[in-house]
Amino acid sequence: MSDPTLAQPHLVEVHTTTLETVVTTHNHNHRPSINASGEKKKIVGVFYKGNEYAKLNPNFVGCVEGALGIREWLESQGHQYIVTDDKEGPDSELEKHIPDAHVIISTPFHPAYVTAERIKKAQKLELLLTAGIGSDHVDLKAAAAAGLTVAEVTGSNVVSVAEDELMRILILMRNFLPGYHQAVKGEWNVAGIAHRAYDLEGKTVGTVGAGRIGKLLLQRLKPFNCNLLYFDRLRIDPELEKEIGAKFEEDLDAMLPKCDVIVINTPLTEQTRGLFDKNRIAKCKKGVLIVNNARGAIADTQAIADACSSGHVAGYSGDVWFPQPAPKDHPWRYMPNHAMTPHISGTTIDAQLRYAAGVKDMLDRHFKGEDFPEQNYIVKEGQLASQYR
């Protein structure tokens, strides 16, 4: 690790979590006291199914079958723990348990969309936990107005996502996938790959967002001798900026035309939703490569598909879609020169063990009426963390 602090699961992913009041008046009356000592709670976990893979690795705790490895611990204290992958629509398993659930745990990889309507129905709800990073599947303003706490395991999969982004940059830059497909099909056509394969060295890579993941990616890119740029509302620590050799860009639209590769590393907020639309993509250099492991909805679905088809975007890779799971007819499945996967970058076995431990720690604190590590809060006492403003 280039930075020993990065292994600490409690560190902030996107800057420091300064809190800002979103709602000035709160009605906490209908919410139960979270300090009720010894009260038995109903916890609902929504995860993806492990199926035949669940038994292949005892540390595969992020699936329904693994249940974050906390079932025995919760049930030994008399709590009820319901785990499901069924989360969509009025007849889903999640919907059935919403009225009397005290805690809902979800992941960004198989998100339980906790809408304002669901929050209204959930009269006993106290806490929404994200096993991982990114709580945009929750209507945060509705959660704040209802006096709920929303928290995530900040820093738990920073290394996992940054490593995955580096891999995607190289896969696109070297035009790797057509070569792999040739190998599988028994073909041999070097020209079909070589005409659009390049070295990473000497290229300009810009990250949109330089929180924990963006910073770590820049550190990982340093040995490749690229020109490194970053756009963010906050500057990186000057010493680290100098050490990495990254240049701060104040204006996103001024940075984009300089970049051969653009990596999206910003949370999904009202400000970033649809950030990469037709107009913004047009400002990028023709032949740009785009990597997005942040959130699918930051990019306009059709605009990306059109730009890949026209060749303005030479390659697009990421593991985030909107919605998730992505429907079979999602345009990104069929656009040329993509290297898309299901949402996997932050759910390596190492990351699962970190976010499972973080969830257990926060549940333990919640039952005891104790505060969480400050940087884990997304909504606390009606206030929203800065990255979601």
Side-chain angles (χ1 to χ4, degrees):
M1 298 287 164
S2 52
D3 175 356
T5 61
L6 292 167
Q8 297 178 22
H10 61 273
L11 289 168
V12 183
E13 181 215 7
V14 190
H15 321 306
T16 52
T17 309
T18 334
L19 294 171
E20 155 192 85
T21 304
V22 184
V23 188
T24 46
T25 56
H26 309 295
N27 173 16
H28 296 279
N29 301 340
H30 69 289
R31 296 293 165 188
S33 159
I34 55 175
N35 295 343
S37 62
E39 192 193 335
K40 302 309 175 203
K41 307 284 187 187
K42 181 175 188 175
I43 295 107
V44 179
V46 181
F47 313 114
Y48 55 82
K49 269 196 174 149
N51 297 316
E52 70 270 28
Y53 305 105
K55 292 187 173 75
L56 299 181
N57 188 334
N59 291 324
F60 185 15
V61 294
C63 59
V64 166
E65 295 85 346
L68 298 184
I70 55 175
R71 180 178 295 285
E72 212 175 294
W73 171 72
L74 283 172
E75 291 176 352
S76 71
Q77 297 181 52
H79 302 298
Q80 189 184 2
Y81 189 29
I82 308 287
V83 176
T84 183
D85 74 320
D86 182 19
K87 64 193 179 71
E88 304 295 342
D91 302 321
S92 65
E93 191 72 11
L94 172 62
E95 197 76 24
K96 201 164 70 183
H97 294 291
I98 274 180
D100 62 345
H102 297 96
V103 181
I104 296 174
I105 307 167
S106 181
T107 75
F109 319 107
H110 187 77
Y113 294 105
V114 184
T115 58
E117 293 73 36
R118 281 178 161 173
I119 287 169
K120 208 171 279 182
K121 281 184 201 163
Q123 288 297 304
K124 293 189 173 178
L125 194 59
E126 304 161 6
L127 176 63
L128 290 159
L129 286 179
T130 300
I133 299 170
S135 298
D136 47 89
H137 52 277
V138 176
D139 185 322
L140 296 175
K141 285 191 173 172
L148 298 177
T149 298
V150 183
E152 58 189 42
V153 191
T154 299
S156 58
N157 51 28
V158 169
V159 169
S160 320
V161 177
E163 285 185 2
D164 187 272
E165 287 175 344
L166 181 56
M167 173 187 75
R168 288 174 195 275
I169 293 170
L170 288 166
I171 282 171
L172 291 177
M173 188 62 76
R174 302 307 288 264
N175 204 22
F176 174 84
L177 280 178
Y180 167 74
H181 290 309
Q182 282 189 27
V184 170
K185 292 175 188 165
E187 297 168 359
W188 190 280
N189 177 2
V190 173
I193 304 152
H195 76 286
R196 56 200 309 277
Y198 295 89
D199 294 341
L200 183 52
E201 183 170 75
K203 302 300 183 292
T204 298
V205 182
T207 174
V208 181
R212 305 262 340 144
I213 294 170
K215 268 205 290 271
L216 189 52
L217 176 67
L218 291 170
Q219 285 176 297
R220 295 286 194 268
L221 282 167
K222 190 186 179 205
F224 286 87
N225 298 322
C226 309
N227 305 312
L228 300 174
L229 307 177
Y230 73 96
F231 166 78
D232 204 301
R233 60 195 178 85
L234 298 176
R235 283 193 79 150
I236 292 174
D237 171 73
E239 271 182 45
L240 183 61
E241 189 181 273
K242 195 178 163 196
E243 183 196 313
I244 299 170
K247 183 172 174 289
F248 176 66
E249 294 277 336
E250 283 181 42
D251 181 352
L252 175 60
D253 290 334
M255 178 179 89
L256 295 179
K258 301 173 187 173
C259 296
D260 301 297
V261 181
I262 292 160
V263 187
I264 299 171
N265 272 314
T266 179
L268 177 63
T269 65
E270 284 170 27
Q271 286 72 36
T272 63
R273 188 177 295 275
L275 183 68
F276 278 80
D277 58 9
K278 196 169 77 171
N279 296 333
R280 192 151 269 116
I281 293 165
K283 291 175 176 154
C284 299
K285 189 185 280 194
K286 182 172 169 26
V288 70
L289 303 174
I290 299 177
V291 171
N292 179 11
N293 279 3
R295 286 295 180 264
I298 294 170
D300 179 290
T301 299
Q302 197 55 50
I304 291 289
D306 291 346
C308 283
S309 296
S310 74
H312 189 85
V313 170
Y316 183 90
S317 184
D319 68 334
V320 286
W321 310 64
F322 185 76
Q324 289 191 177
K328 285 193 172 141
D329 62 351
H330 197 292
W332 290 358
R333 293 184 186 270
Y334 308 105
M335 62 192 183
N337 305 317
H338 81 75
M340 295 298 296
T341 64
H343 195 168
I344 51 167
S345 64
T347 188
T348 60
I349 296 297
D350 305 278
Q352 288 175 44
L353 293 172
R354 289 190 293 262
Y355 64 65
V359 166
K360 184 180 179 185
D361 173 63
M362 286 193 287
L363 284 173
D364 192 39
R365 290 169 187 250
H366 181 69
F367 299 147
K368 292 173 179 168
E370 297 170 4
D371 278 351
F372 303 154
E374 193 60 37
Q375 58 274 12
N376 286 9
Y377 285 107
I378 301 303
V379 176
K380 183 187 184 186
E381 294 166 3
Q383 298 183 314
L384 194 56
S386 62
Q387 65 264 38
Y388 283 100
R389 285 178 200 171

